[in-house]
Amino acid sequence: MEPFSTIYDSENEILTNYTLHEEKKISDMKGYFINEEAREKIEKEENKVVYKVYKQDVPLIEGELLHCLTCIQPGNVDGQFFMTKGHYHLNEKCAEIYHCLKGDGLLLLQKEDQIKILEFKPNAIAYIPAGWGHRTVNISFTKSLVFFSVWPAQSGYDYERTMKEPFQSSIVKDKESYKIIRR
Ligand code: PAN
Ligand code: ZN
């Protein structure tokens, strides 16, 4: 493949010349928030976008790196902040790097009975070791959370595992801030 570069357009919160764009709406998040009834209500009323992903395709072969921009909208479902679905990598030998560009968030990480919650603010560069499940939460009431990620092209995604072994912590509104609760 040929070398290439992309531009992060911070004003519009997109990665220009992306080849793949995904939008996860409330309707795509069935079973991910604690209050499923509240999620269904939002789906029927407005079906808001929860997060967007802009990705550049590369060959899914050893040595290549995938990278993308994720933008999580501000919002909540019955007080539980908008977040990504979260996943483990199918290939448990694959780590990942997240670089926060904009907003205010938390990165939830877990591996078996170990849990880590990292602050995720602009300029934070988080290292997600191989084997750790990862989910990002936007804890701002008004701003998007935007971050860039890089990971091996052969990682794959395991979303089902986060359903069988759900994230142990949820991030909910607490007055003007947030609190962490056990799920
Ligand atoms: C990220 C995520 C992205 C969206 O690029 O895929 O932020 O989150 P979900 O995949 O959990 O919906 C990454 O971790 N890639 O491996
Ligand atoms: Zn990942």
Side-chain angles (χ1 to χ4, degrees):
M1 69 177 298
E2 293 281 313
F4 66 90
S5 67
T6 46
I7 305 278
Y8 161 52
D9 175 348
S10 62
E11 201 181 322
N12 296 306
E13 299 169 347
I14 65 166
L15 197 65
T16 58
N17 8 306
Y18 55 85
T19 49
L20 193 127
H21 172 46
E22 282 176 0
E23 268 187 3
K24 300 288 180 209
K25 294 189 172 178
I26 282 283
S27 54
D28 298 306
M29 301 290 289
K30 197 170 176 195
Y32 281 93
F33 291 96
I34 299 168
N35 189 340
E36 178 53 26
E37 235 174 74
R39 188 207 61 81
E40 258 177 35
K41 192 161 174 269
I42 303 174
E43 176 178 336
K44 283 188 194 126
E45 284 167 1
E46 207 181 334
N47 200 15
K48 292 179 185 167
V49 171
V50 179
Y51 61 101
K52 304 172 191 177
V53 178
Y54 300 90
K55 203 189 274 180
Q56 264 287 352
D57 279 322
V58 300
L60 302 182
I61 54 173
E62 195 174 346
E64 300 293 349
L65 295 171
L66 280 163
H67 58 283
C68 80
L69 188 85
T70 305
C71 176
I72 310 178
Q73 306 301 301
N76 67 82
V77 174
D78 188 29
Q80 186 180 4
F81 286 106
F82 279 4
M83 61 191 185
T84 58
K85 289 184 172 180
H87 59 266
Y88 288 82
H89 292 157
L90 274 174
N91 182 339
E92 295 208 5
K93 289 186 176 155
C94 292
E96 180 156 5
I97 288 174
Y98 277 14
H99 178 185
C100 185
L101 300 166
K102 231 182 174 185
D104 199 1
L106 292 175
L107 179 54
L108 312 187
L109 302 166
Q110 83 182 32
K111 185 183 186 187
E112 286 138 25
D113 55 352
Q114 301 175 80
I115 296 174
K116 275 266 182 226
I117 300 180
L118 303 181
E119 279 196 4
F120 200 47
K121 294 179 190 301
N123 300 331
I125 299 171
Y127 186 77
I128 303 164
W132 285 72
H134 40 288
R135 162 180 286 165
T136 325
V137 185
N138 181 359
I139 56 170
S140 165
F141 291 86
T142 51
K143 294 174 295 175
S144 311
L145 176 70
V146 185
F147 62 95
F148 179 72
S149 5
V150 186
W151 68 103
Q154 285 190 308
S155 302
Y157 306 92
D158 190 347
Y159 290 100
E160 287 194 359
R161 187 161 159 205
T162 57
M163 284 295 178
K164 285 188 233 131
E165 298 168 36
F167 283 88
Q168 301 292 308
S169 314
S170 301
I171 313 300
V172 298
K173 268 192 339 191
D174 186 26
K175 299 190 186 96
E176 304 302 300
S177 185
Y178 71 88
K179 66 179 176 192
I180 301 167
I181 57 166
R182 292 288 287 188
R183 196 188 165 134

mmCIF file with all atom_site columns, all heavy atoms in Angstrom, residues 3 10 30-31 39-40 43 48 54 64 67 82 84 86 95 100 103 108 129 150 155 165 168 170 174:
data_model
loop_
_atom_site.group_PDB
_atom_site.id
_atom_site.type_symbol
_atom_site.label_atom_id
_atom_site.label_alt_id
_atom_site.label_comp_id
_atom_site.label_asym_id
_atom_site.label_entity_id
_atom_site.label_seq_id
_atom_site.pdbx_PDB_ins_code
_atom_site.Cartn_x
_atom_site.Cartn_y
_atom_site.Cartn_z
_atom_site.occupancy
_atom_site.B_iso_or_equiv
_atom_site.pdbx_formal_charge
_atom_site.auth_seq_id
_atom_site.auth_comp_id
_atom_site.auth_asym_id
_atom_site.auth_atom_id
_atom_site.pdbx_PDB_model_num
ATOM 1   N N   . PRO A 1 3   ? 1.990   5.120   1.231  1.00 0.00 ? 3   PRO A N   1
ATOM 2   C CA  . PRO A 1 3   ? 1.885   5.970   2.434  1.00 0.00 ? 3   PRO A CA  1
ATOM 3   C C   . PRO A 1 3   ? 0.783   7.012   2.234  1.00 0.00 ? 3   PRO A C   1
ATOM 4   O O   . PRO A 1 3   ? 0.521   7.430   1.095  1.00 0.00 ? 3   PRO A O   1
ATOM 5   C CB  . PRO A 1 3   ? 3.248   6.654   2.509  1.00 0.00 ? 3   PRO A CB  1
ATOM 6   C CG  . PRO A 1 3   ? 4.158   5.824   1.665  1.00 0.00 ? 3   PRO A CG  1
ATOM 7   C CD  . PRO A 1 3   ? 3.311   5.224   0.591  1.00 0.00 ? 3   PRO A CD  1
ATOM 8   N N   . SER A 1 10  ? -10.456 19.630  13.820 1.00 0.00 ? 10  SER A N   1
ATOM 9   C CA  . SER A 1 10  ? -10.910 19.713  15.216 1.00 0.00 ? 10  SER A CA  1
ATOM 10  C C   . SER A 1 10  ? -12.225 20.481  15.340 1.00 0.00 ? 10  SER A C   1
ATOM 11  O O   . SER A 1 10  ? -13.026 20.200  16.215 1.00 0.00 ? 10  SER A O   1
ATOM 12  C CB  . SER A 1 10  ? -9.838  20.348  16.095 1.00 0.00 ? 10  SER A CB  1
ATOM 13  O OG  . SER A 1 10  ? -9.580  21.655  15.670 1.00 0.00 ? 10  SER A OG  1
ATOM 14  N N   . LYS A 1 30  ? -28.772 -1.331  22.423 1.00 0.00 ? 30  LYS A N   1
ATOM 15  C CA  . LYS A 1 30  ? -29.684 -2.160  23.221 1.00 0.00 ? 30  LYS A CA  1
ATOM 16  C C   . LYS A 1 30  ? -28.887 -3.039  24.195 1.00 0.00 ? 30  LYS A C   1
ATOM 17  O O   . LYS A 1 30  ? -27.967 -3.743  23.779 1.00 0.00 ? 30  LYS A O   1
ATOM 18  C CB  . LYS A 1 30  ? -30.511 -3.035  22.276 1.00 0.00 ? 30  LYS A CB  1
ATOM 19  C CG  . LYS A 1 30  ? -31.709 -3.602  22.910 1.00 0.00 ? 30  LYS A CG  1
ATOM 20  C CD  . LYS A 1 30  ? -32.634 -4.261  21.922 1.00 0.00 ? 30  LYS A CD  1
ATOM 21  C CE  . LYS A 1 30  ? -33.751 -4.878  22.732 1.00 0.00 ? 30  LYS A CE  1
ATOM 22  N NZ  . LYS A 1 30  ? -34.523 -5.818  22.029 1.00 0.00 ? 30  LYS A NZ  1
ATOM 23  N N   . GLY A 1 31  ? -29.244 -2.961  25.458 1.00 0.00 ? 31  GLY A N   1
ATOM 24  C CA  . GLY A 1 31  ? -28.589 -3.810  26.458 1.00 0.00 ? 31  GLY A CA  1
ATOM 25  C C   . GLY A 1 31  ? -27.309 -3.228  27.034 1.00 0.00 ? 31  GLY A C   1
ATOM 26  O O   . GLY A 1 31  ? -26.701 -3.835  27.911 1.00 0.00 ? 31  GLY A O   1
ATOM 27  N N   . ARG A 1 39  ? -33.646 3.746   27.787 1.00 0.00 ? 39  ARG A N   1
ATOM 28  C CA  . ARG A 1 39  ? -32.986 3.736   26.476 1.00 0.00 ? 39  ARG A CA  1
ATOM 29  C C   . ARG A 1 39  ? -34.012 3.591   25.355 1.00 0.00 ? 39  ARG A C   1
ATOM 30  O O   . ARG A 1 39  ? -33.997 4.308   24.359 1.00 0.00 ? 39  ARG A O   1
ATOM 31  C CB  . ARG A 1 39  ? -31.959 2.591   26.408 1.00 0.00 ? 39  ARG A CB  1
ATOM 32  C CG  . ARG A 1 39  ? -31.086 2.613   25.140 1.00 0.00 ? 39  ARG A CG  1
ATOM 33  C CD  . ARG A 1 39  ? -30.592 1.256   24.753 1.00 0.00 ? 39  ARG A CD  1
ATOM 34  N NE  . ARG A 1 39  ? -31.673 0.343   24.458 1.00 0.00 ? 39  ARG A NE  1
ATOM 35  C CZ  . ARG A 1 39  ? -32.334 0.270   23.309 1.00 0.00 ? 39  ARG A CZ  1
ATOM 36  N NH1 . ARG A 1 39  ? -32.028 1.075   22.310 1.00 0.00 ? 39  ARG A NH1 1
ATOM 37  N NH2 . ARG A 1 39  ? -33.326 -0.591  23.155 1.00 0.00 ? 39  ARG A NH2 1
ATOM 38  N N   . GLU A 1 40  ? -34.987 2.681   25.579 1.00 0.00 ? 40  GLU A N   1
ATOM 39  C CA  . GLU A 1 40  ? -36.042 2.456   24.580 1.00 0.00 ? 40  GLU A CA  1
ATOM 40  C C   . GLU A 1 40  ? -36.867 3.719   24.353 1.00 0.00 ? 40  GLU A C   1
ATOM 41  O O   . GLU A 1 40  ? -37.253 4.019   23.233 1.00 0.00 ? 40  GLU A O   1
ATOM 42  C CB  . GLU A 1 40  ? -36.983 1.354   25.066 1.00 0.00 ? 40  GLU A CB  1
ATOM 43  C CG  . GLU A 1 40  ? -36.718 0.035   24.398 1.00 0.00 ? 40  GLU A CG  1
ATOM 44  C CD  . GLU A 1 40  ? -37.615 -1.064  24.936 1.00 0.00 ? 40  GLU A CD  1
ATOM 45  O OE1 . GLU A 1 40  ? -38.784 -0.783  25.265 1.00 0.00 ? 40  GLU A OE1 1
ATOM 46  O OE2 . GLU A 1 40  ? -37.117 -2.192  25.045 1.00 0.00 ? 40  GLU A OE2 1
ATOM 47  N N   . GLU A 1 43  ? -34.963 6.024   22.238 1.00 0.00 ? 43  GLU A N   1
ATOM 48  C CA  . GLU A 1 43  ? -34.946 5.471   20.864 1.00 0.00 ? 43  GLU A CA  1
ATOM 49  C C   . GLU A 1 43  ? -36.228 5.845   20.129 1.00 0.00 ? 43  GLU A C   1
ATOM 50  O O   . GLU A 1 43  ? -36.192 6.270   18.970 1.00 0.00 ? 43  GLU A O   1
ATOM 51  C CB  . GLU A 1 43  ? -34.783 3.948   20.919 1.00 0.00 ? 43  GLU A CB  1
ATOM 52  C CG  . GLU A 1 43  ? -34.849 3.311   19.541 1.00 0.00 ? 43  GLU A CG  1
ATOM 53  C CD  . GLU A 1 43  ? -34.655 1.806   19.546 1.00 0.00 ? 43  GLU A CD  1
ATOM 54  O OE1 . GLU A 1 43  ? -34.030 1.259   20.481 1.00 0.00 ? 43  GLU A OE1 1
ATOM 55  O OE2 . GLU A 1 43  ? -35.143 1.180   18.588 1.00 0.00 ? 43  GLU A OE2 1
ATOM 56  N N   . LYS A 1 48  ? -31.173 9.416   19.311 1.00 0.00 ? 48  LYS A N   1
ATOM 57  C CA  . LYS A 1 48  ? -29.961 10.249  19.210 1.00 0.00 ? 48  LYS A CA  1
ATOM 58  C C   . LYS A 1 48  ? -28.733 9.441   18.782 1.00 0.00 ? 48  LYS A C   1
ATOM 59  O O   . LYS A 1 48  ? -28.642 8.249   19.061 1.00 0.00 ? 48  LYS A O   1
ATOM 60  C CB  . LYS A 1 48  ? -29.639 10.830  20.586 1.00 0.00 ? 48  LYS A CB  1
ATOM 61  C CG  . LYS A 1 48  ? -30.624 11.847  21.080 1.00 0.00 ? 48  LYS A CG  1
ATOM 62  C CD  . LYS A 1 48  ? -30.180 12.322  22.458 1.00 0.00 ? 48  LYS A CD  1
ATOM 63  C CE  . LYS A 1 48  ? -31.226 13.268  23.032 1.00 0.00 ? 48  LYS A CE  1
ATOM 64  N NZ  . LYS A 1 48  ? -31.006 13.518  24.449 1.00 0.00 ? 48  LYS A NZ  1
ATOM 65  N N   . TYR A 1 54  ? -14.600 7.519   12.649 1.00 0.00 ? 54  TYR A N   1
ATOM 66  C CA  . TYR A 1 54  ? -14.052 7.755   11.306 1.00 0.00 ? 54  TYR A CA  1
ATOM 67  C C   . TYR A 1 54  ? -12.774 6.946   11.197 1.00 0.00 ? 54  TYR A C   1
ATOM 68  O O   . TYR A 1 54  ? -11.854 7.112   12.010 1.00 0.00 ? 54  TYR A O   1
ATOM 69  C CB  . TYR A 1 54  ? -13.726 9.238   11.102 1.00 0.00 ? 54  TYR A CB  1
ATOM 70  C CG  . TYR A 1 54  ? -14.930 10.125  11.254 1.00 0.00 ? 54  TYR A CG  1
ATOM 71  C CD1 . TYR A 1 54  ? -15.261 10.651  12.503 1.00 0.00 ? 54  TYR A CD1 1
ATOM 72  C CD2 . TYR A 1 54  ? -15.749 10.428  10.166 1.00 0.00 ? 54  TYR A CD2 1
ATOM 73  C CE1 . TYR A 1 54  ? -16.379 11.444  12.661 1.00 0.00 ? 54  TYR A CE1 1
ATOM 74  C CE2 . TYR A 1 54  ? -16.866 11.237  10.309 1.00 0.00 ? 54  TYR A CE2 1
ATOM 75  C CZ  . TYR A 1 54  ? -17.172 11.739  11.569 1.00 0.00 ? 54  TYR A CZ  1
ATOM 76  O OH  . TYR A 1 54  ? -18.283 12.532  11.733 1.00 0.00 ? 54  TYR A OH  1
ATOM 77  N N   . GLU A 1 64  ? 0.626   -4.139  10.011 1.00 0.00 ? 64  GLU A N   1
ATOM 78  C CA  . GLU A 1 64  ? -0.098  -2.891  9.706  1.00 0.00 ? 64  GLU A CA  1
ATOM 79  C C   . GLU A 1 64  ? -0.829  -2.402  10.952 1.00 0.00 ? 64  GLU A C   1
ATOM 80  O O   . GLU A 1 64  ? -1.095  -3.181  11.876 1.00 0.00 ? 64  GLU A O   1
ATOM 81  C CB  . GLU A 1 64  ? -1.105  -3.118  8.561  1.00 0.00 ? 64  GLU A CB  1
ATOM 82  C CG  . GLU A 1 64  ? -0.485  -3.582  7.253  1.00 0.00 ? 64  GLU A CG  1
ATOM 83  C CD  . GLU A 1 64  ? 0.413   -2.544  6.566  1.00 0.00 ? 64  GLU A CD  1
ATOM 84  O OE1 . GLU A 1 64  ? 0.422   -1.368  6.977  1.00 0.00 ? 64  GLU A OE1 1
ATOM 85  O OE2 . GLU A 1 64  ? 1.129   -2.928  5.626  1.00 0.00 ? 64  GLU A OE2 1
ATOM 86  N N   . HIS A 1 67  ? -6.171  2.839   12.599 1.00 0.00 ? 67  HIS A N   1
ATOM 87  C CA  . HIS A 1 67  ? -6.308  4.037   13.420 1.00 0.00 ? 67  HIS A CA  1
ATOM 88  C C   . HIS A 1 67  ? -7.647  4.682   13.131 1.00 0.00 ? 67  HIS A C   1
ATOM 89  O O   . HIS A 1 67  ? -8.184  4.526   12.022 1.00 0.00 ? 67  HIS A O   1
ATOM 90  C CB  . HIS A 1 67  ? -5.161  5.013   13.173 1.00 0.00 ? 67  HIS A CB  1
ATOM 91  C CG  . HIS A 1 67  ? -5.021  5.465   11.755 1.00 0.00 ? 67  HIS A CG  1
ATOM 92  N ND1 . HIS A 1 67  ? -4.468  4.675   10.785 1.00 0.00 ? 67  HIS A ND1 1
ATOM 93  C CD2 . HIS A 1 67  ? -5.364  6.620   11.162 1.00 0.00 ? 67  HIS A CD2 1
ATOM 94  C CE1 . HIS A 1 67  ? -4.469  5.353   9.636  1.00 0.00 ? 67  HIS A CE1 1
ATOM 95  N NE2 . HIS A 1 67  ? -5.007  6.536   9.844  1.00 0.00 ? 67  HIS A NE2 1
ATOM 96  N N   . PHE A 1 82  ? -23.300 8.895   28.121 1.00 0.00 ? 82  PHE A N   1
ATOM 97  C CA  . PHE A 1 82  ? -23.057 8.255   26.823 1.00 0.00 ? 82  PHE A CA  1
ATOM 98  C C   . PHE A 1 82  ? -21.636 7.682   26.804 1.00 0.00 ? 82  PHE A C   1
ATOM 99  O O   . PHE A 1 82  ? -20.696 8.278   27.342 1.00 0.00 ? 82  PHE A O   1
ATOM 100 C CB  . PHE A 1 82  ? -23.201 9.259   25.674 1.00 0.00 ? 82  PHE A CB  1
ATOM 101 C CG  . PHE A 1 82  ? -24.630 9.509   25.249 1.00 0.00 ? 82  PHE A CG  1
ATOM 102 C CD1 . PHE A 1 82  ? -25.704 8.944   25.920 1.00 0.00 ? 82  PHE A CD1 1
ATOM 103 C CD2 . PHE A 1 82  ? -24.907 10.318  24.141 1.00 0.00 ? 82  PHE A CD2 1
ATOM 104 C CE1 . PHE A 1 82  ? -27.018 9.171   25.515 1.00 0.00 ? 82  PHE A CE1 1
ATOM 105 C CE2 . PHE A 1 82  ? -26.221 10.557  23.729 1.00 0.00 ? 82  PHE A CE2 1
ATOM 106 C CZ  . PHE A 1 82  ? -27.273 9.988   24.409 1.00 0.00 ? 82  PHE A CZ  1
ATOM 107 N N   . THR A 1 84  ? -18.970 4.402   24.646 1.00 0.00 ? 84  THR A N   1
ATOM 108 C CA  . THR A 1 84  ? -18.845 3.431   23.553 1.00 0.00 ? 84  THR A CA  1
ATOM 109 C C   . THR A 1 84  ? -19.354 2.071   24.049 1.00 0.00 ? 84  THR A C   1
ATOM 110 O O   . THR A 1 84  ? -19.487 1.863   25.256 1.00 0.00 ? 84  THR A O   1
ATOM 111 C CB  . THR A 1 84  ? -17.376 3.272   23.105 1.00 0.00 ? 84  THR A CB  1
ATOM 112 O OG1 . THR A 1 84  ? -16.592 2.862   24.238 1.00 0.00 ? 84  THR A OG1 1
ATOM 113 C CG2 . THR A 1 84  ? -16.826 4.563   22.529 1.00 0.00 ? 84  THR A CG2 1
ATOM 114 N N   . GLY A 1 86  ? -17.705 -0.633  23.934 1.00 0.00 ? 86  GLY A N   1
ATOM 115 C CA  . GLY A 1 86  ? -16.568 -1.260  24.608 1.00 0.00 ? 86  GLY A CA  1
ATOM 116 C C   . GLY A 1 86  ? -16.368 -2.670  24.080 1.00 0.00 ? 86  GLY A C   1
ATOM 117 O O   . GLY A 1 86  ? -17.316 -3.316  23.631 1.00 0.00 ? 86  GLY A O   1
ATOM 118 N N   . ALA A 1 95  ? -2.424  -4.845  21.911 1.00 0.00 ? 95  ALA A N   1
ATOM 119 C CA  . ALA A 1 95  ? -2.623  -3.668  22.761 1.00 0.00 ? 95  ALA A CA  1
ATOM 120 C C   . ALA A 1 95  ? -3.197  -2.514  21.919 1.00 0.00 ? 95  ALA A C   1
ATOM 121 O O   . ALA A 1 95  ? -3.477  -2.684  20.722 1.00 0.00 ? 95  ALA A O   1
ATOM 122 C CB  . ALA A 1 95  ? -1.282  -3.268  23.369 1.00 0.00 ? 95  ALA A CB  1
ATOM 123 N N   . CYS A 1 100 ? -6.390  11.400  23.780 1.00 0.00 ? 100 CYS A N   1
ATOM 124 C CA  . CYS A 1 100 ? -7.556  12.289  23.905 1.00 0.00 ? 100 CYS A CA  1
ATOM 125 C C   . CYS A 1 100 ? -7.247  13.651  23.275 1.00 0.00 ? 100 CYS A C   1
ATOM 126 O O   . CYS A 1 100 ? -6.221  14.262  23.562 1.00 0.00 ? 100 CYS A O   1
ATOM 127 C CB  . CYS A 1 100 ? -7.945  12.464  25.369 1.00 0.00 ? 100 CYS A CB  1
ATOM 128 S SG  . CYS A 1 100 ? -9.445  13.437  25.539 1.00 0.00 ? 100 CYS A SG  1
ATOM 129 N N   . GLY A 1 103 ? -12.428 17.389  25.037 1.00 0.00 ? 103 GLY A N   1
ATOM 130 C CA  . GLY A 1 103 ? -13.516 16.970  25.924 1.00 0.00 ? 103 GLY A CA  1
ATOM 131 C C   . GLY A 1 103 ? -13.047 16.495  27.279 1.00 0.00 ? 103 GLY A C   1
ATOM 132 O O   . GLY A 1 103 ? -11.948 16.807  27.732 1.00 0.00 ? 103 GLY A O   1
ATOM 133 N N   . LEU A 1 108 ? -12.619 3.178   30.913 1.00 0.00 ? 108 LEU A N   1
ATOM 134 C CA  . LEU A 1 108 ? -12.853 2.022   31.783 1.00 0.00 ? 108 LEU A CA  1
ATOM 135 C C   . LEU A 1 108 ? -12.117 0.819   31.210 1.00 0.00 ? 108 LEU A C   1
ATOM 136 O O   . LEU A 1 108 ? -12.312 0.473   30.040 1.00 0.00 ? 108 LEU A O   1
ATOM 137 C CB  . LEU A 1 108 ? -14.348 1.680   31.863 1.00 0.00 ? 108 LEU A CB  1
ATOM 138 C CG  . LEU A 1 108 ? -15.346 2.804   32.130 1.00 0.00 ? 108 LEU A CG  1
ATOM 139 C CD1 . LEU A 1 108 ? -16.748 2.221   32.346 1.00 0.00 ? 108 LEU A CD1 1
ATOM 140 C CD2 . LEU A 1 108 ? -14.939 3.603   33.354 1.00 0.00 ? 108 LEU A CD2 1
ATOM 141 N N   . PRO A 1 129 ? -3.063  -2.210  27.671 1.00 0.00 ? 129 PRO A N   1
ATOM 142 C CA  . PRO A 1 129 ? -2.261  -3.409  27.425 1.00 0.00 ? 129 PRO A CA  1
ATOM 143 C C   . PRO A 1 129 ? -3.091  -4.518  26.781 1.00 0.00 ? 129 PRO A C   1
ATOM 144 O O   . PRO A 1 129 ? -4.319  -4.528  26.905 1.00 0.00 ? 129 PRO A O   1
ATOM 145 C CB  . PRO A 1 129 ? -1.811  -3.832  28.833 1.00 0.00 ? 129 PRO A CB  1
ATOM 146 C CG  . PRO A 1 129 ? -2.115  -2.698  29.737 1.00 0.00 ? 129 PRO A CG  1
ATOM 147 C CD  . PRO A 1 129 ? -3.248  -1.941  29.113 1.00 0.00 ? 129 PRO A CD  1
ATOM 148 N N   . VAL A 1 150 ? -4.957  3.946   17.954 1.00 0.00 ? 150 VAL A N   1
ATOM 149 C CA  . VAL A 1 150 ? -4.091  3.177   17.049 1.00 0.00 ? 150 VAL A CA  1
ATOM 150 C C   . VAL A 1 150 ? -3.930  1.766   17.608 1.00 0.00 ? 150 VAL A C   1
ATOM 151 O O   . VAL A 1 150 ? -3.630  1.611   18.800 1.00 0.00 ? 150 VAL A O   1
ATOM 152 C CB  . VAL A 1 150 ? -2.670  3.789   16.948 1.00 0.00 ? 150 VAL A CB  1
ATOM 153 C CG1 . VAL A 1 150 ? -1.850  3.065   15.886 1.00 0.00 ? 150 VAL A CG1 1
ATOM 154 C CG2 . VAL A 1 150 ? -2.725  5.269   16.659 1.00 0.00 ? 150 VAL A CG2 1
ATOM 155 N N   . SER A 1 155 ? -6.105  -7.170  15.318 1.00 0.00 ? 155 SER A N   1
ATOM 156 C CA  . SER A 1 155 ? -6.710  -7.291  16.657 1.00 0.00 ? 155 SER A CA  1
ATOM 157 C C   . SER A 1 155 ? -8.078  -7.956  16.643 1.00 0.00 ? 155 SER A C   1
ATOM 158 O O   . SER A 1 155 ? -8.382  -8.797  17.473 1.00 0.00 ? 155 SER A O   1
ATOM 159 C CB  . SER A 1 155 ? -6.869  -5.912  17.294 1.00 0.00 ? 155 SER A CB  1
ATOM 160 O OG  . SER A 1 155 ? -5.640  -5.258  17.394 1.00 0.00 ? 155 SER A OG  1
ATOM 161 N N   . GLU A 1 165 ? -19.370 -10.817 30.167 1.00 0.00 ? 165 GLU A N   1
ATOM 162 C CA  . GLU A 1 165 ? -18.613 -10.336 31.345 1.00 0.00 ? 165 GLU A CA  1
ATOM 163 C C   . GLU A 1 165 ? -18.702 -8.816  31.336 1.00 0.00 ? 165 GLU A C   1
ATOM 164 O O   . GLU A 1 165 ? -17.758 -8.149  30.955 1.00 0.00 ? 165 GLU A O   1
ATOM 165 C CB  . GLU A 1 165 ? -17.123 -10.696 31.199 1.00 0.00 ? 165 GLU A CB  1
ATOM 166 C CG  . GLU A 1 165 ? -16.798 -12.150 31.127 1.00 0.00 ? 165 GLU A CG  1
ATOM 167 C CD  . GLU A 1 165 ? -15.341 -12.371 30.678 1.00 0.00 ? 165 GLU A CD  1
ATOM 168 O OE1 . GLU A 1 165 ? -14.437 -11.597 31.047 1.00 0.00 ? 165 GLU A OE1 1
ATOM 169 O OE2 . GLU A 1 165 ? -15.124 -13.335 29.926 1.00 0.00 ? 165 GLU A OE2 1
ATOM 170 N N   . GLN A 1 168 ? -17.735 -3.696  35.057 1.00 0.00 ? 168 GLN A N   1
ATOM 171 C CA  . GLN A 1 168 ? -18.189 -3.721  36.459 1.00 0.00 ? 168 GLN A CA  1
ATOM 172 C C   . GLN A 1 168 ? -18.589 -2.346  36.984 1.00 0.00 ? 168 GLN A C   1
ATOM 173 O O   . GLN A 1 168 ? -19.221 -2.248  38.022 1.00 0.00 ? 168 GLN A O   1
ATOM 174 C CB  . GLN A 1 168 ? -17.060 -4.265  37.350 1.00 0.00 ? 168 GLN A CB  1
ATOM 175 C CG  . GLN A 1 168 ? -16.607 -5.657  36.995 1.00 0.00 ? 168 GLN A CG  1
ATOM 176 C CD  . GLN A 1 168 ? -17.701 -6.674  37.305 1.00 0.00 ? 168 GLN A CD  1
ATOM 177 O OE1 . GLN A 1 168 ? -18.217 -6.715  38.408 1.00 0.00 ? 168 GLN A OE1 1
ATOM 178 N NE2 . GLN A 1 168 ? -18.066 -7.457  36.309 1.00 0.00 ? 168 GLN A NE2 1
ATOM 179 N N   . SER A 1 170 ? -20.184 1.667   36.224 1.00 0.00 ? 170 SER A N   1
ATOM 180 C CA  . SER A 1 170 ? -20.953 2.548   35.342 1.00 0.00 ? 170 SER A CA  1
ATOM 181 C C   . SER A 1 170 ? -20.756 3.972   35.835 1.00 0.00 ? 170 SER A C   1
ATOM 182 O O   . SER A 1 170 ? -20.566 4.195   37.037 1.00 0.00 ? 170 SER A O   1
ATOM 183 C CB  . SER A 1 170 ? -22.437 2.192   35.399 1.00 0.00 ? 170 SER A CB  1
ATOM 184 O OG  . SER A 1 170 ? -22.617 0.859   35.016 1.00 0.00 ? 170 SER A OG  1
ATOM 185 N N   . ASP A 1 174 ? -23.941 13.024  38.882 1.00 0.00 ? 174 ASP A N   1
ATOM 186 C CA  . ASP A 1 174 ? -24.068 13.308  40.310 1.00 0.00 ? 174 ASP A CA  1
ATOM 187 C C   . ASP A 1 174 ? -24.011 14.822  40.434 1.00 0.00 ? 174 ASP A C   1
ATOM 188 O O   . ASP A 1 174 ? -22.943 15.400  40.375 1.00 0.00 ? 174 ASP A O   1
ATOM 189 C CB  . ASP A 1 174 ? -22.925 12.628  41.075 1.00 0.00 ? 174 ASP A CB  1
ATOM 190 C CG  . ASP A 1 174 ? -23.106 12.764  42.573 1.00 0.00 ? 174 ASP A CG  1
ATOM 191 O OD1 . ASP A 1 174 ? -24.254 12.901  43.018 1.00 0.00 ? 174 ASP A OD1 1
ATOM 192 O OD2 . ASP A 1 174 ? -22.079 12.743  43.288 1.00 0.00 ? 174 ASP A OD2 1
#
